[in-house]
Amino acid sequence: MEKLAILTGGGDAPGLNAVIRAAVKTARNDFGLHILGVKDGFDGFVEEDGIRPLHPHDVRGILPRGGTILGSANRGNPFARKVIRDGKEIIEDISGKLIESIRNMKLDGLIVIGGDGTLRIAQELYEKGVPVVGVPKTIDNDIGGTECTFGFDTAVNTAMDALDKLHTTAESHHRVMLLELMGRDAGFIALRAGIAGGADVILIPEIPFSFDAICRKIHQRQKQGSSFSIIAVAEGAFPRGGQPVVSIPGDSVYVARLGGISFQVAEFIAANCQVETRVTVLGHLQRGGSPSAFDRWLGTRFGSAAVHLAAEGKFGRMVALISERIVDIDIAEALAVPRRVDLNGDAIRAARGLGISFGE
Ligand code: F6P
């Protein structure tokens, strides 16, 4: 074994550079292996100058940096790639070309750092003979088989900071402030930031809410002398009998983009609770910034473990965190069941015990 490659796919997450740095250093120091960096997800394999060697000096100083030094693409599925040809949009499958390029490069292993979409591509490539190792990444924390993904902790801290700031202005103006948070179909960011940031109401996709129940909570607080309320809303939250709000519809290639539910909740509250509302959509701020200590720590351990897996020839596997230990599982197993908030878990129980409403 001589040569590995590494790529980052999908939406970025704080801690990606920690993984890349650890992989490059571990490959060189522990195994004497070279690592190639693939630019912009899988696109780098088919683009000019898309591959470059990564030496230990190339990863110097990147640990505290957000984003990814390799670039990413969450629209770069080689099995279904949208391109404009002769003025017309077509969907092409360039996976054959990509696999050929990987073979020509005589790669001994490909480390794919990504969320569920990217890992699904990795699994398909593995089934076609590419020696792939997966590293789970997402601020949403929704990948099965691992108790945590890096990026989540930093995103939660950013969201908590926003909730702290909203508290002071909400109190001054006697308003209900809503903070819409990312997470797609999982409520982990809203739940953890909501608890850490002292939200009064937390709306998550795992618990469909009732508009009236939110108003009841606001009125209860008003009766108890609190003229303001803070609501953490996961972008994927939806009312009972309803659907998540889509800001940009998906199609056969791209998933729908979520967003906008907090405006509907705010309108209802303003019309029915006799209180002013304001909405903040935190958006991509949650994906930015310097990774927290936890995300650097987890990313470093994942990067190192991924190289060890490749060196041992354990392909089709993904590194994961279970009970504080880094283990490995089949990528297919990780993808089989996405992670969702445990409704019987202690976090939900603690929140309820504190009087936080889930809009039930
Ligand atoms: O999966 C990460 C994530 O940030 C989601 O929380 C969010 O819904 C989505 O990506 C946003 O994607 P984009 O970067 O395409 O706007």
Side-chain angles (χ1 to χ4, degrees), residues 10-12 74-75 116 137-140 142 181-184 189 235 256-258 283-284 286-287:
D12 65 351
N74 52 2
R75 308 206 145 195
D116 55 353
K137 161 254 39 163
T138 167
I139 64 162
D140 304 337
D142 61 351
L181 296 165
M182 284 185 166
R184 294 203 60 81
I189 298 178
E235 63 181 1
R257 214 176 293 166
L258 298 177
H284 292 78
Q286 292 158 96
R287 294 234 300 259

Side-chain angles (χ1 to χ4, degrees), residues 46-349:
V46 289
E47 277 172 10
E48 225 174 287
D49 299 327
I51 315 267
R52 65 172 162 130
L54 285 178
H55 303 288
H57 66 256
D58 293 317
V59 296
R60 202 172 292 148
I62 68 170
L63 190 57
R65 274 170 60 183
T68 158
I69 59 161
L70 293 173
S72 191
N74 52 2
R75 308 206 145 195
N77 183 349
F79 293 94
R81 203 167 186 251
K82 269 191 190 177
V83 285
I84 307 289
R85 186 100 2 111
D86 301 328
K88 269 209 211 121
E89 188 180 80
I90 58 158
I91 297 168
E92 62 176 16
D93 179 346
I94 56 154
S95 59
K97 199 172 157 196
L98 188 138
I99 292 168
E100 196 189 308
S101 146
I102 291 175
R103 291 215 175 105
N104 291 342
M105 287 165 62
K106 297 196 169 40
L107 276 188
D108 296 302
L110 171 63
I111 298 172
V112 175
I113 315 171
D116 55 353
T118 305
L119 290 171
R120 223 168 276 285
I121 297 166
Q123 173 64 18
E124 273 191 69
L125 290 173
Y126 169 68
E127 285 166 14
K128 289 183 182 295
V130 178
V132 163
V133 166
V135 178
K137 161 254 39 163
T138 167
I139 64 162
D140 304 337
N141 204 24
D142 61 351
I143 298 180
T146 181
E147 282 163 5
C148 202
T149 51
F150 62 87
F152 171 64
D153 185 63
T154 308
V156 167
N157 282 314
T158 301
M160 181 194 71
D161 187 43
L163 287 168
D164 285 350
K165 288 179 171 144
L166 288 175
H167 258 97
T168 53
T169 176
E171 197 167 7
S172 309
H173 290 273
H174 316 294
R175 284 172 172 161
V176 172
M177 303 298 275
L178 297 96
L179 180 67
E180 185 166 307
L181 296 165
M182 284 185 166
R184 294 203 60 81
D185 300 312
F188 292 107
I189 298 178
L191 178 63
R192 193 170 293 191
I195 290 175
D200 307 296
V201 178
I202 300 175
L203 303 179
I204 57 174
E206 291 87 347
I207 307 179
F209 64 84
S210 124
F211 287 102
D212 290 329
I214 300 169
C215 275
R216 274 202 302 279
K217 175 68 186 174
I218 291 166
H219 282 143
Q220 183 202 31
R221 279 179 52 77
Q222 286 168 337
K223 273 194 210 134
Q224 291 166 346
S226 297
S227 59
F228 72 97
S229 290
I230 301 289
I231 308 186
V233 188
E235 63 181 1
F238 57 93
R240 264 180 229 154
Q243 290 291 323
V245 178
V246 167
S247 59
I248 299 182
D251 58 24
S252 63
V253 177
Y254 300 147
V255 292
R257 214 176 293 166
L258 298 177
I261 182 61
S262 50
F263 291 96
Q264 293 187 7
V265 176
E267 260 174 48
F268 184 91
I269 296 169
N272 294 278
C273 303
Q274 295 78 49
V275 61
E276 252 194 305
T277 59
R278 292 289 187 271
V279 172
T280 302
V281 178
L282 198 55
H284 292 78
L285 287 175
Q286 292 158 96
R287 294 234 300 259
S290 183
S292 65
F294 179 86
D295 286 337
R296 297 181 197 191
W297 173 85
L298 185 58
T300 299
R301 294 173 77 203
F302 274 176
S304 160
V307 170
H308 279 264
L309 275 186
E312 289 162 22
K314 289 170 91 178
F315 298 114
R317 307 282 288 173
M318 180 190 93
V319 296
L321 182 76
I322 302 285
S323 305
E324 296 296 314
R325 288 184 50 241
I326 306 293
V327 299
D328 56 272
I329 59 170
D330 279 340
I331 299 176
E333 186 192 333
L335 293 172
V337 185
R339 221 169 94 78
R340 295 291 181 260
V341 170
D342 176 5
L343 298 185
N344 300 312
D346 66 275
I348 295 283
R349 192 184 61 191

Side-chain angles (χ1 to χ4, degrees), residues 29-48:
N29 296 340
D30 286 0
F31 301 101
L33 293 172
H34 296 281
I35 289 218
L36 301 173
V38 185
K39 257 169 66 180
D40 301 336
F42 294 96
D43 288 357
F45 280 116
V46 289
E47 277 172 10
E48 225 174 287

